[in-house]
PDB file of all heavy atoms in Angstrom:
ATOM      1  N   ILE Y 468     -42.920 -61.548  35.295  1.00  0.00           N
ATOM      2  CA  ILE Y 468     -43.000 -60.344  36.162  1.00  0.00           C
ATOM      3  C   ILE Y 468     -42.028 -59.289  35.738  1.00  0.00           C
ATOM      4  O   ILE Y 468     -40.895 -59.581  35.367  1.00  0.00           O
ATOM      5  CB  ILE Y 468     -42.691 -60.761  37.652  1.00  0.00           C
ATOM      6  CG1 ILE Y 468     -43.648 -61.840  38.129  1.00  0.00           C
ATOM      7  CG2 ILE Y 468     -42.790 -59.526  38.534  1.00  0.00           C
ATOM      8  CD1 ILE Y 468     -45.087 -61.404  38.312  1.00  0.00           C
ATOM      9  N   THR Y 469     -42.455 -58.027  35.749  1.00  0.00           N
ATOM     10  CA  THR Y 469     -41.646 -56.877  35.574  1.00  0.00           C
ATOM     11  C   THR Y 469     -41.635 -56.014  36.839  1.00  0.00           C
ATOM     12  O   THR Y 469     -42.752 -55.709  37.309  1.00  0.00           O
ATOM     13  CB  THR Y 469     -42.002 -56.037  34.397  1.00  0.00           C
ATOM     14  OG1 THR Y 469     -41.883 -56.825  33.183  1.00  0.00           O
ATOM     15  CG2 THR Y 469     -41.135 -54.805  34.257  1.00  0.00           C
ATOM     16  N   ALA Y 470     -40.472 -55.659  37.356  1.00  0.00           N
ATOM     17  CA  ALA Y 470     -40.370 -54.804  38.554  1.00  0.00           C
ATOM     18  C   ALA Y 470     -40.075 -53.361  38.118  1.00  0.00           C
ATOM     19  O   ALA Y 470     -39.092 -53.138  37.394  1.00  0.00           O
ATOM     20  CB  ALA Y 470     -39.350 -55.310  39.494  1.00  0.00           C
ATOM     21  N   GLU Y 471     -40.895 -52.394  38.559  1.00  0.00           N
ATOM     22  CA  GLU Y 471     -40.669 -51.012  38.162  1.00  0.00           C
ATOM     23  C   GLU Y 471     -39.950 -50.289  39.296  1.00  0.00           C
ATOM     24  O   GLU Y 471     -40.033 -50.715  40.467  1.00  0.00           O
ATOM     25  CB  GLU Y 471     -42.036 -50.316  37.940  1.00  0.00           C
ATOM     26  CG  GLU Y 471     -42.811 -50.892  36.760  1.00  0.00           C
ATOM     27  CD  GLU Y 471     -44.139 -50.139  36.516  1.00  0.00           C
ATOM     28  OE1 GLU Y 471     -44.960 -50.148  37.438  1.00  0.00           O
ATOM     29  OE2 GLU Y 471     -44.283 -49.599  35.473  1.00  0.00           O
ATOM     30  N   GLY Y 472     -39.308 -49.220  38.955  1.00  0.00           N
ATOM     31  CA  GLY Y 472     -38.722 -48.300  39.976  1.00  0.00           C
ATOM     32  C   GLY Y 472     -37.444 -48.806  40.608  1.00  0.00           C
ATOM     33  O   GLY Y 472     -37.176 -48.535  41.787  1.00  0.00           O
ATOM     34  N   ILE Y 473     -36.645 -49.581  39.868  1.00  0.00           N
ATOM     35  CA  ILE Y 473     -35.371 -50.041  40.441  1.00  0.00           C
ATOM     36  C   ILE Y 473     -34.328 -48.841  40.387  1.00  0.00           C
ATOM     37  O   ILE Y 473     -34.005 -48.392  39.286  1.00  0.00           O
ATOM     38  CB  ILE Y 473     -34.810 -51.233  39.587  1.00  0.00           C
ATOM     39  CG1 ILE Y 473     -35.829 -52.341  39.636  1.00  0.00           C
ATOM     40  CG2 ILE Y 473     -33.503 -51.714  40.193  1.00  0.00           C
ATOM     41  CD1 ILE Y 473     -35.454 -53.538  38.725  1.00  0.00           C
ATOM     42  N   GLU Y 474     -33.903 -48.437  41.521  1.00  0.00           N
ATOM     43  CA  GLU Y 474     -33.020 -47.292  41.567  1.00  0.00           C
ATOM     44  C   GLU Y 474     -31.718 -47.510  42.318  1.00  0.00           C
ATOM     45  O   GLU Y 474     -30.901 -46.555  42.489  1.00  0.00           O
ATOM     46  CB  GLU Y 474     -33.821 -46.104  42.211  1.00  0.00           C
ATOM     47  CG  GLU Y 474     -35.038 -45.674  41.427  1.00  0.00           C
ATOM     48  CD  GLU Y 474     -35.760 -44.502  42.029  1.00  0.00           C
ATOM     49  OE1 GLU Y 474     -35.304 -44.032  43.069  1.00  0.00           O
ATOM     50  OE2 GLU Y 474     -36.802 -44.115  41.473  1.00  0.00           O
ATOM     51  N   SER Y 475     -31.486 -48.686  42.843  1.00  0.00           N
ATOM     52  CA  SER Y 475     -30.219 -48.948  43.573  1.00  0.00           C
ATOM     53  C   SER Y 475     -29.762 -50.381  43.352  1.00  0.00           C
ATOM     54  O   SER Y 475     -30.586 -51.287  43.010  1.00  0.00           O
ATOM     55  CB  SER Y 475     -30.439 -48.741  45.062  1.00  0.00           C
ATOM     56  OG  SER Y 475     -31.262 -49.759  45.625  1.00  0.00           O
ATOM     57  N   GLU Y 476     -28.468 -50.601  43.547  1.00  0.00           N
ATOM     58  CA  GLU Y 476     -27.881 -51.942  43.344  1.00  0.00           C
ATOM     59  C   GLU Y 476     -28.392 -52.893  44.370  1.00  0.00           C
ATOM     60  O   GLU Y 476     -28.577 -54.087  44.097  1.00  0.00           O
ATOM     61  CB  GLU Y 476     -26.360 -51.842  43.449  1.00  0.00           C
ATOM     62  CG  GLU Y 476     -25.720 -51.110  42.253  1.00  0.00           C
ATOM     63  CD  GLU Y 476     -25.717 -51.940  40.973  1.00  0.00           C
ATOM     64  OE1 GLU Y 476     -26.059 -53.180  41.082  1.00  0.00           O
ATOM     65  OE2 GLU Y 476     -25.401 -51.407  39.908  1.00  0.00           O
ATOM     66  N   ASP Y 477     -28.663 -52.411  45.599  1.00  0.00           N
ATOM     67  CA  ASP Y 477     -29.138 -53.323  46.651  1.00  0.00           C
ATOM     68  C   ASP Y 477     -30.517 -53.876  46.254  1.00  0.00           C
ATOM     69  O   ASP Y 477     -30.762 -55.092  46.457  1.00  0.00           O
ATOM     70  CB  ASP Y 477     -29.306 -52.553  47.981  1.00  0.00           C
ATOM     71  CG  ASP Y 477     -27.973 -52.106  48.515  1.00  0.00           C
ATOM     72  OD1 ASP Y 477     -26.959 -52.710  48.143  1.00  0.00           O
ATOM     73  OD2 ASP Y 477     -27.886 -51.137  49.312  1.00  0.00           O
ATOM     74  N   VAL Y 478     -31.435 -53.046  45.770  1.00  0.00           N
ATOM     75  CA  VAL Y 478     -32.717 -53.563  45.361  1.00  0.00           C
ATOM     76  C   VAL Y 478     -32.566 -54.524  44.213  1.00  0.00           C
ATOM     77  O   VAL Y 478     -33.234 -55.573  44.157  1.00  0.00           O
ATOM     78  CB  VAL Y 478     -33.624 -52.361  44.946  1.00  0.00           C
ATOM     79  CG1 VAL Y 478     -34.868 -52.862  44.260  1.00  0.00           C
ATOM     80  CG2 VAL Y 478     -33.959 -51.499  46.144  1.00  0.00           C
ATOM     81  N   LEU Y 479     -31.639 -54.241  43.257  1.00  0.00           N
ATOM     82  CA  LEU Y 479     -31.430 -55.111  42.126  1.00  0.00           C
ATOM     83  C   LEU Y 479     -30.985 -56.464  42.608  1.00  0.00           C
ATOM     84  O   LEU Y 479     -31.461 -57.518  42.072  1.00  0.00           O
ATOM     85  CB  LEU Y 479     -30.409 -54.482  41.185  1.00  0.00           C
ATOM     86  CG  LEU Y 479     -30.028 -55.361  39.942  1.00  0.00           C
ATOM     87  CD1 LEU Y 479     -31.263 -55.568  39.124  1.00  0.00           C
ATOM     88  CD2 LEU Y 479     -28.936 -54.636  39.098  1.00  0.00           C
ATOM     89  N   GLU Y 480     -30.065 -56.514  43.543  1.00  0.00           N
ATOM     90  CA  GLU Y 480     -29.544 -57.796  44.034  1.00  0.00           C
ATOM     91  C   GLU Y 480     -30.672 -58.616  44.690  1.00  0.00           C
ATOM     92  O   GLU Y 480     -30.719 -59.836  44.556  1.00  0.00           O
ATOM     93  CB  GLU Y 480     -28.433 -57.577  45.035  1.00  0.00           C
ATOM     94  CG  GLU Y 480     -27.118 -57.048  44.401  1.00  0.00           C
ATOM     95  CD  GLU Y 480     -26.608 -57.948  43.327  1.00  0.00           C
ATOM     96  OE1 GLU Y 480     -26.644 -59.163  43.491  1.00  0.00           O
ATOM     97  OE2 GLU Y 480     -26.172 -57.462  42.249  1.00  0.00           O
ATOM     98  N   MET Y 481     -31.545 -57.932  45.449  1.00  0.00           N
ATOM     99  CA  MET Y 481     -32.664 -58.665  46.062  1.00  0.00           C
ATOM    100  C   MET Y 481     -33.593 -59.244  44.984  1.00  0.00           C
ATOM    101  O   MET Y 481     -34.103 -60.345  45.170  1.00  0.00           O
ATOM    102  CB  MET Y 481     -33.402 -57.724  47.012  1.00  0.00           C
ATOM    103  CG  MET Y 481     -32.602 -57.275  48.223  1.00  0.00           C
ATOM    104  SD  MET Y 481     -33.621 -56.349  49.387  1.00  0.00           S
ATOM    105  CE  MET Y 481     -34.746 -57.607  49.974  1.00  0.00           C
ATOM    106  N   LEU Y 482     -33.855 -58.476  43.955  1.00  0.00           N
ATOM    107  CA  LEU Y 482     -34.734 -58.957  42.909  1.00  0.00           C
ATOM    108  C   LEU Y 482     -34.159 -60.123  42.097  1.00  0.00           C
ATOM    109  O   LEU Y 482     -34.866 -61.025  41.674  1.00  0.00           O
ATOM    110  CB  LEU Y 482     -35.057 -57.801  41.942  1.00  0.00           C
ATOM    111  CG  LEU Y 482     -35.982 -56.712  42.510  1.00  0.00           C
ATOM    112  CD1 LEU Y 482     -36.024 -55.516  41.572  1.00  0.00           C
ATOM    113  CD2 LEU Y 482     -37.402 -57.238  42.823  1.00  0.00           C
ATOM    114  N   LYS Y 483     -32.809 -60.116  41.995  1.00  0.00           N
ATOM    115  CA  LYS Y 483     -32.192 -61.196  41.258  1.00  0.00           C
ATOM    116  C   LYS Y 483     -32.406 -62.540  41.948  1.00  0.00           C
ATOM    117  O   LYS Y 483     -32.503 -63.591  41.332  1.00  0.00           O
ATOM    118  CB  LYS Y 483     -30.678 -60.952  41.160  1.00  0.00           C
ATOM    119  CG  LYS Y 483     -30.291 -59.930  40.109  1.00  0.00           C
ATOM    120  CD  LYS Y 483     -28.753 -59.758  40.052  1.00  0.00           C
ATOM    121  CE  LYS Y 483     -28.353 -58.759  38.945  1.00  0.00           C
ATOM    122  NZ  LYS Y 483     -26.891 -58.554  38.894  1.00  0.00           N
ATOM    123  N   LYS Y 484     -32.554 -62.477  43.293  1.00  0.00           N
ATOM    124  CA  LYS Y 484     -32.719 -63.704  44.055  1.00  0.00           C
ATOM    125  C   LYS Y 484     -34.122 -64.265  43.953  1.00  0.00           C
ATOM    126  O   LYS Y 484     -34.390 -65.408  44.405  1.00  0.00           O
ATOM    127  CB  LYS Y 484     -32.401 -63.475  45.505  1.00  0.00           C
ATOM    128  CG  LYS Y 484     -30.936 -63.041  45.770  1.00  0.00           C
ATOM    129  CD  LYS Y 484     -30.784 -62.692  47.275  1.00  0.00           C
ATOM    130  CE  LYS Y 484     -29.320 -62.186  47.496  1.00  0.00           C
ATOM    131  NZ  LYS Y 484     -29.164 -61.756  48.932  1.00  0.00           N
ATOM    132  N   MET Y 485     -35.044 -63.483  43.388  1.00  0.00           N
ATOM    133  CA  MET Y 485     -36.435 -63.891  43.323  1.00  0.00           C
ATOM    134  C   MET Y 485     -36.806 -64.644  42.030  1.00  0.00           C
ATOM    135  O   MET Y 485     -37.940 -65.089  41.912  1.00  0.00           O
ATOM    136  CB  MET Y 485     -37.359 -62.684  43.469  1.00  0.00           C
ATOM    137  CG  MET Y 485     -37.199 -61.971  44.815  1.00  0.00           C
ATOM    138  SD  MET Y 485     -38.335 -60.540  44.904  1.00  0.00           S
ATOM    139  CE  MET Y 485     -37.846 -59.876  46.511  1.00  0.00           C
ATOM    140  N   GLY Y 486     -35.890 -64.766  41.110  1.00  0.00           N
ATOM    141  CA  GLY Y 486     -36.161 -65.510  39.895  1.00  0.00           C
ATOM    142  C   GLY Y 486     -35.909 -64.689  38.644  1.00  0.00           C
ATOM    143  O   GLY Y 486     -35.312 -63.596  38.718  1.00  0.00           O
ATOM    144  N   ASP Y 487     -36.428 -65.217  37.539  1.00  0.00           N
ATOM    145  CA  ASP Y 487     -36.261 -64.535  36.258  1.00  0.00           C
ATOM    146  C   ASP Y 487     -37.247 -63.405  36.163  1.00  0.00           C
ATOM    147  O   ASP Y 487     -38.477 -63.643  35.946  1.00  0.00           O
ATOM    148  CB  ASP Y 487     -36.453 -65.534  35.155  1.00  0.00           C
ATOM    149  CG  ASP Y 487     -35.344 -66.588  35.124  1.00  0.00           C
ATOM    150  OD1 ASP Y 487     -34.240 -66.259  35.558  1.00  0.00           O
ATOM    151  OD2 ASP Y 487     -35.589 -67.720  34.655  1.00  0.00           O
ATOM    152  N   LEU Y 488     -36.769 -62.161  36.259  1.00  0.00           N
ATOM    153  CA  LEU Y 488     -37.662 -61.007  36.176  1.00  0.00           C
ATOM    154  C   LEU Y 488     -37.101 -60.020  35.138  1.00  0.00           C
ATOM    155  O   LEU Y 488     -35.894 -60.006  34.840  1.00  0.00           O
ATOM    156  CB  LEU Y 488     -37.772 -60.295  37.544  1.00  0.00           C
ATOM    157  CG  LEU Y 488     -38.152 -61.099  38.772  1.00  0.00           C
ATOM    158  CD1 LEU Y 488     -38.091 -60.213  40.001  1.00  0.00           C
ATOM    159  CD2 LEU Y 488     -39.497 -61.720  38.635  1.00  0.00           C
ATOM    160  N   LYS Y 489     -37.986 -59.186  34.692  1.00  0.00           N
ATOM    161  CA  LYS Y 489     -37.536 -57.988  33.925  1.00  0.00           C
ATOM    162  C   LYS Y 489     -37.649 -56.790  34.878  1.00  0.00           C
ATOM    163  O   LYS Y 489     -38.457 -56.810  35.788  1.00  0.00           O
ATOM    164  CB  LYS Y 489     -38.423 -57.760  32.712  1.00  0.00           C
ATOM    165  CG  LYS Y 489     -38.060 -58.581  31.467  1.00  0.00           C
ATOM    166  CD  LYS Y 489     -39.043 -58.514  30.391  1.00  0.00           C
ATOM    167  CE  LYS Y 489     -39.174 -57.125  29.827  1.00  0.00           C
ATOM    168  NZ  LYS Y 489     -40.057 -57.099  28.648  1.00  0.00           N
ATOM    169  N   GLY Y 490     -36.815 -55.809  34.666  1.00  0.00           N
ATOM    170  CA  GLY Y 490     -36.800 -54.650  35.523  1.00  0.00           C
ATOM    171  C   GLY Y 490     -36.611 -53.352  34.706  1.00  0.00           C
ATOM    172  O   GLY Y 490     -36.142 -53.399  33.630  1.00  0.00           O
ATOM    173  N   GLN Y 491     -37.039 -52.283  35.337  1.00  0.00           N
ATOM    174  CA  GLN Y 491     -36.809 -50.984  34.755  1.00  0.00           C
ATOM    175  C   GLN Y 491     -36.746 -49.939  35.849  1.00  0.00           C
ATOM    176  O   GLN Y 491     -37.330 -50.165  36.948  1.00  0.00           O
ATOM    177  CB  GLN Y 491     -37.971 -50.594  33.769  1.00  0.00           C
ATOM    178  CG  GLN Y 491     -39.363 -50.551  34.372  1.00  0.00           C
ATOM    179  CD  GLN Y 491     -40.465 -50.378  33.324  1.00  0.00           C
ATOM    180  OE1 GLN Y 491     -40.938 -51.317  32.762  1.00  0.00           O
ATOM    181  NE2 GLN Y 491     -40.807 -49.107  33.089  1.00  0.00           N
ATOM    182  N   GLY Y 492     -36.085 -48.842  35.618  1.00  0.00           N
ATOM    183  CA  GLY Y 492     -35.917 -47.825  36.637  1.00  0.00           C
ATOM    184  C   GLY Y 492     -34.673 -47.017  36.379  1.00  0.00           C
ATOM    185  O   GLY Y 492     -33.919 -47.232  35.423  1.00  0.00           O
ATOM    186  N   TYR Y 493     -34.500 -45.949  37.213  1.00  0.00           N
ATOM    187  CA  TYR Y 493     -33.373 -45.023  36.987  1.00  0.00           C
ATOM    188  C   TYR Y 493     -32.031 -45.659  37.109  1.00  0.00           C
ATOM    189  O   TYR Y 493     -31.009 -45.071  36.686  1.00  0.00           O
ATOM    190  CB  TYR Y 493     -33.548 -43.831  37.922  1.00  0.00           C
ATOM    191  CG  TYR Y 493     -34.611 -42.825  37.513  1.00  0.00           C
ATOM    192  CD1 TYR Y 493     -35.440 -43.091  36.409  1.00  0.00           C
ATOM    193  CD2 TYR Y 493     -34.781 -41.637  38.160  1.00  0.00           C
ATOM    194  CE1 TYR Y 493     -36.412 -42.224  36.002  1.00  0.00           C
ATOM    195  CE2 TYR Y 493     -35.792 -40.745  37.781  1.00  0.00           C
ATOM    196  CZ  TYR Y 493     -36.589 -41.033  36.699  1.00  0.00           C
ATOM    197  OH  TYR Y 493     -37.524 -40.140  36.297  1.00  0.00           O
ATOM    198  N   LEU Y 494     -31.959 -46.820  37.757  1.00  0.00           N
ATOM    199  CA  LEU Y 494     -30.645 -47.490  37.839  1.00  0.00           C
ATOM    200  C   LEU Y 494     -30.113 -47.807  36.448  1.00  0.00           C
ATOM    201  O   LEU Y 494     -28.909 -47.748  36.237  1.00  0.00           O
ATOM    202  CB  LEU Y 494     -30.768 -48.787  38.656  1.00  0.00           C
ATOM    203  CG  LEU Y 494     -29.517 -49.640  38.832  1.00  0.00           C
ATOM    204  CD1 LEU Y 494     -28.401 -48.830  39.577  1.00  0.00           C
ATOM    205  CD2 LEU Y 494     -29.809 -50.931  39.487  1.00  0.00           C
ATOM    206  N   TYR Y 495     -30.974 -48.072  35.523  1.00  0.00           N
ATOM    207  CA  TYR Y 495     -30.582 -48.364  34.159  1.00  0.00           C
ATOM    208  C   TYR Y 495     -30.506 -47.116  33.252  1.00  0.00           C
ATOM    209  O   TYR Y 495     -30.062 -47.161  32.143  1.00  0.00           O
ATOM    210  CB  TYR Y 495     -31.580 -49.393  33.550  1.00  0.00           C
ATOM    211  CG  TYR Y 495     -31.650 -50.688  34.248  1.00  0.00           C
ATOM    212  CD1 TYR Y 495     -32.745 -51.060  35.007  1.00  0.00           C
ATOM    213  CD2 TYR Y 495     -30.610 -51.591  34.193  1.00  0.00           C
ATOM    214  CE1 TYR Y 495     -32.844 -52.281  35.645  1.00  0.00           C
ATOM    215  CE2 TYR Y 495     -30.628 -52.793  34.807  1.00  0.00           C
ATOM    216  CZ  TYR Y 495     -31.779 -53.123  35.577  1.00  0.00           C
ATOM    217  OH  TYR Y 495     -31.840 -54.320  36.242  1.00  0.00           O
ATOM    218  N   GLY Y 496     -31.002 -46.024  33.789  1.00  0.00           N
ATOM    219  CA  GLY Y 496     -30.960 -44.790  33.049  1.00  0.00           C
ATOM    220  C   GLY Y 496     -32.337 -44.104  33.019  1.00  0.00           C
ATOM    221  O   GLY Y 496     -33.345 -44.763  33.100  1.00  0.00           O
ATOM    222  N   LYS Y 497     -32.356 -42.788  32.851  1.00  0.00           N
ATOM    223  CA  LYS Y 497     -33.637 -42.048  32.795  1.00  0.00           C
ATOM    224  C   LYS Y 497     -34.257 -42.212  31.376  1.00  0.00           C
ATOM    225  O   LYS Y 497     -33.554 -42.587  30.464  1.00  0.00           O
ATOM    226  CB  LYS Y 497     -33.361 -40.565  33.100  1.00  0.00           C
ATOM    227  CG  LYS Y 497     -32.945 -40.334  34.558  1.00  0.00           C
ATOM    228  CD  LYS Y 497     -32.805 -38.870  34.839  1.00  0.00           C
ATOM    229  CE  LYS Y 497     -32.457 -38.591  36.317  1.00  0.00           C
ATOM    230  NZ  LYS Y 497     -32.365 -37.171  36.637  1.00  0.00           N
ATOM    231  N   PRO Y 498     -35.563 -41.950  31.294  1.00  0.00           N
ATOM    232  CA  PRO Y 498     -36.194 -41.992  29.970  1.00  0.00           C
ATOM    233  C   PRO Y 498     -35.470 -41.119  28.942  1.00  0.00           C
ATOM    234  O   PRO Y 498     -35.048 -39.980  29.299  1.00  0.00           O
ATOM    235  CB  PRO Y 498     -37.577 -41.512  30.262  1.00  0.00           C
ATOM    236  CG  PRO Y 498     -37.850 -41.831  31.674  1.00  0.00           C
ATOM    237  CD  PRO Y 498     -36.513 -41.619  32.359  1.00  0.00           C
ATOM    238  N   GLU Y 499     -35.365 -41.581  27.720  1.00  0.00           N
ATOM    239  CA  GLU Y 499     -34.650 -40.882  26.678  1.00  0.00           C
ATOM    240  C   GLU Y 499     -35.522 -40.613  25.471  1.00  0.00           C
ATOM    241  O   GLU Y 499     -36.481 -41.370  25.228  1.00  0.00           O
ATOM    242  CB  GLU Y 499     -33.436 -41.704  26.249  1.00  0.00           C
ATOM    243  CG  GLU Y 499     -32.424 -41.964  27.378  1.00  0.00           C
ATOM    244  CD  GLU Y 499     -31.361 -42.983  26.984  1.00  0.00           C
ATOM    245  OE1 GLU Y 499     -31.650 -43.873  26.147  1.00  0.00           O
ATOM    246  OE2 GLU Y 499     -30.247 -42.840  27.518  1.00  0.00           O
ATOM    247  N   CYS Y 500     -35.198 -39.569  24.698  1.00  0.00           N
ATOM    248  CA  CYS Y 500     -35.945 -39.324  23.482  1.00  0.00           C
ATOM    249  C   CYS Y 500     -35.456 -40.287  22.354  1.00  0.00           C
ATOM    250  O   CYS Y 500     -34.555 -41.085  22.555  1.00  0.00           O
ATOM    251  CB  CYS Y 500     -35.705 -37.832  23.032  1.00  0.00           C
ATOM    252  SG  CYS Y 500     -34.002 -37.538  22.548  1.00  0.00           S
ATOM    253  N   ALA Y 501     -36.143 -40.246  21.268  1.00  0.00           N
ATOM    254  CA  ALA Y 501     -35.882 -41.177  20.184  1.00  0.00           C
ATOM    255  C   ALA Y 501     -34.403 -41.148  19.681  1.00  0.00           C
ATOM    256  O   ALA Y 501     -33.808 -42.204  19.455  1.00  0.00           O
ATOM    257  CB  ALA Y 501     -36.791 -40.919  18.990  1.00  0.00           C
ATOM    258  N   GLU Y 502     -33.877 -39.949  19.574  1.00  0.00           N
ATOM    259  CA  GLU Y 502     -32.508 -39.815  19.108  1.00  0.00           C
ATOM    260  C   GLU Y 502     -31.486 -40.419  20.060  1.00  0.00           C
ATOM    261  O   GLU Y 502     -30.487 -41.068  19.693  1.00  0.00           O
ATOM    262  CB  GLU Y 502     -32.177 -38.339  18.855  1.00  0.00           C
ATOM    263  CG  GLU Y 502     -32.908 -37.688  17.679  1.00  0.00           C
ATOM    264  CD  GLU Y 502     -34.339 -37.406  18.002  1.00  0.00           C
ATOM    265  OE1 GLU Y 502     -34.733 -37.453  19.163  1.00  0.00           O
ATOM    266  OE2 GLU Y 502     -35.138 -37.154  17.026  1.00  0.00           O
ATOM    267  N   GLU Y 503     -31.709 -40.202  21.380  1.00  0.00           N
ATOM    268  CA  GLU Y 503     -30.818 -40.749  22.389  1.00  0.00           C
ATOM    269  C   GLU Y 503     -30.917 -42.262  22.442  1.00  0.00           C
ATOM    270  O   GLU Y 503     -29.905 -42.931  22.649  1.00  0.00           O
ATOM    271  CB  GLU Y 503     -31.209 -40.169  23.745  1.00  0.00           C
ATOM    272  CG  GLU Y 503     -30.870 -38.677  23.894  1.00  0.00           C
ATOM    273  CD  GLU Y 503     -31.457 -38.043  25.173  1.00  0.00           C
ATOM    274  OE1 GLU Y 503     -32.471 -38.522  25.662  1.00  0.00           O
ATOM    275  OE2 GLU Y 503     -30.823 -37.073  25.647  1.00  0.00           O
ATOM    276  N   VAL Y 504     -32.100 -42.846  22.190  1.00  0.00           N
ATOM    277  CA  VAL Y 504     -32.237 -44.277  22.166  1.00  0.00           C
ATOM    278  C   VAL Y 504     -31.476 -44.844  21.007  1.00  0.00           C
ATOM    279  O   VAL Y 504     -30.815 -45.863  21.133  1.00  0.00           O
ATOM    280  CB  VAL Y 504     -33.737 -44.622  22.056  1.00  0.00           C
ATOM    281  CG1 VAL Y 504     -33.915 -46.100  21.733  1.00  0.00           C
ATOM    282  CG2 VAL Y 504     -34.471 -44.314  23.370  1.00  0.00           C
ATOM    283  N   LEU Y 505     -31.547 -44.172  19.856  1.00  0.00           N
ATOM    284  CA  LEU Y 505     -30.846 -44.666  18.669  1.00  0.00           C
ATOM    285  C   LEU Y 505     -29.337 -44.651  18.902  1.00  0.00           C
ATOM    286  O   LEU Y 505     -28.627 -45.610  18.526  1.00  0.00           O
ATOM    287  CB  LEU Y 505     -31.170 -43.824  17.443  1.00  0.00           C
ATOM    288  CG  LEU Y 505     -32.536 -44.002  16.790  1.00  0.00           C
ATOM    289  CD1 LEU Y 505     -32.738 -43.081  15.605  1.00  0.00           C
ATOM    290  CD2 LEU Y 505     -32.719 -45.470  16.353  1.00  0.00           C
ATOM    291  N   GLU Y 506     -28.832 -43.628  19.576  1.00  0.00           N
ATOM    292  CA  GLU Y 506     -27.399 -43.560  19.926  1.00  0.00           C
ATOM    293  C   GLU Y 506     -27.036 -44.709  20.858  1.00  0.00           C
ATOM    294  O   GLU Y 506     -25.990 -45.350  20.707  1.00  0.00           O
ATOM    295  CB  GLU Y 506     -27.096 -42.196  20.526  1.00  0.00           C
ATOM    296  CG  GLU Y 506     -25.601 -42.031  20.848  1.00  0.00           C
ATOM    297  CD  GLU Y 506     -24.719 -42.178  19.667  1.00  0.00           C
ATOM    298  OE1 GLU Y 506     -25.122 -41.825  18.541  1.00  0.00           O
ATOM    299  OE2 GLU Y 506     -23.564 -42.656  19.797  1.00  0.00           O
ATOM    300  N   ARG Y 507     -27.913 -45.012  21.866  1.00  0.00           N
ATOM    301  CA  ARG Y 507     -27.640 -46.073  22.768  1.00  0.00           C
ATOM    302  C   ARG Y 507     -27.620 -47.416  22.048  1.00  0.00           C
ATOM    303  O   ARG Y 507     -26.683 -48.240  22.271  1.00  0.00           O
ATOM    304  CB  ARG Y 507     -28.727 -46.089  23.870  1.00  0.00           C
ATOM    305  CG  ARG Y 507     -28.586 -47.261  24.825  1.00  0.00           C
ATOM    306  CD  ARG Y 507     -29.684 -47.245  25.864  1.00  0.00           C
ATOM    307  NE  ARG Y 507     -29.587 -46.107  26.743  1.00  0.00           N
ATOM    308  CZ  ARG Y 507     -28.764 -46.050  27.837  1.00  0.00           C
ATOM    309  NH1 ARG Y 507     -28.019 -47.090  28.125  1.00  0.00           N
ATOM    310  NH2 ARG Y 507     -28.776 -44.988  28.560  1.00  0.00           N
ATOM    311  N   LEU Y 508     -28.570 -47.621  21.193  1.00  0.00           N
ATOM    312  CA  LEU Y 508     -28.662 -48.910  20.437  1.00  0.00           C
ATOM    313  C   LEU Y 508     -27.462 -49.010  19.462  1.00  0.00           C
ATOM    314  O   LEU Y 508     -26.994 -50.139  19.217  1.00  0.00           O
ATOM    315  CB  LEU Y 508     -29.965 -48.963  19.705  1.00  0.00           C
ATOM    316  CG  LEU Y 508     -31.230 -49.014  20.589  1.00  0.00           C
ATOM    317  CD1 LEU Y 508     -32.474 -49.140  19.726  1.00  0.00           C
ATOM    318  CD2 LEU Y 508     -31.191 -50.214  21.517  1.00  0.00           C
ATOM    319  N   ARG Y 509     -26.984 -47.941  18.953  1.00  0.00           N
ATOM    320  CA  ARG Y 509     -25.862 -47.989  18.038  1.00  0.00           C
ATOM    321  C   ARG Y 509     -24.613 -48.476  18.783  1.00  0.00           C
ATOM    322  O   ARG Y 509     -23.814 -49.305  18.298  1.00  0.00           O
ATOM    323  CB  ARG Y 509     -25.584 -46.587  17.423  1.00  0.00           C
ATOM    324  CG  ARG Y 509     -24.555 -46.579  16.392  1.00  0.00           C
ATOM    325  CD  ARG Y 509     -24.405 -45.254  15.706  1.00  0.00           C
ATOM    326  NE  ARG Y 509     -25.568 -44.932  14.829  1.00  0.00           N
ATOM    327  CZ  ARG Y 509     -26.498 -44.088  15.078  1.00  0.00           C
ATOM    328  NH1 ARG Y 509     -26.438 -43.348  16.244  1.00  0.00           N
ATOM    329  NH2 ARG Y 509     -27.513 -43.891  14.309  1.00  0.00           N
TER     330      ARG Y 509
END
């Protein structure tokens, strides 16, 4: 399962209790262009 739209720590904590999930949302950062992604990965 992947949960979309995670935007707060409270929601993240509730999802952690539900098992092994992947998540995405503004809590982890807004969408980035290719150059910004490379800088993050660096």
